[in-house]
């Protein structure tokens, strides 16, 4: 599983960190970043929830 974040679309809502705090982080600029670029399968459910929960569709999960 690989995660991509479209920083230009990120609205700094922090929804991703609420769904998967071990994977996503908001930087000092308020934009989402990844703590784990390719998280293990045990995080799939949380990461997919973050993808679905992103109000601007800035998160894509591949694989």
């Amino acid at each position: 599983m690989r995660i991509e974040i479209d920083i230009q679309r990120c609205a700094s809502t922090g929804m991703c960190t609420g769904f998967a705090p071990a994977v996503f982080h908001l930087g000092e600029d308020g934009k989402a970043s990844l703590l784990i670029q390719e998280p293990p399968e045990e995080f799939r459910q949380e990461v997919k929830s973050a993808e679905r929960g992103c109000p601007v569709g800035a998160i894509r999960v591949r694989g």
Side-chain angles (χ1 to χ4, degrees):
M1 168 176 45
R2 182 168 177 79
I3 305 166
E4 299 170 359
I5 300 174
D6 183 341
I7 298 302
Q8 299 300 319
R9 292 186 81 164
C10 180
S12 304
T13 66
M15 296 294 290
C16 55
T17 61
F19 285 112
V23 177
F24 296 95
H25 170 75
L26 290 184
E28 289 184 25
D29 61 356
K31 300 292 184 175
S33 63
L34 294 170
L35 296 172
I36 307 171
Q37 185 74 33
E38 296 182 26
E41 282 299 310
E42 65 194 60
F43 291 110
R44 180 170 292 278
Q45 183 176 358
E46 292 92 345
V47 170
K48 292 297 285 182
S49 292
E51 179 183 39
R52 287 188 303 272
C54 179
V56 295
I59 301 169
R60 296 269 185 234
V61 179
R62 308 279 185 206

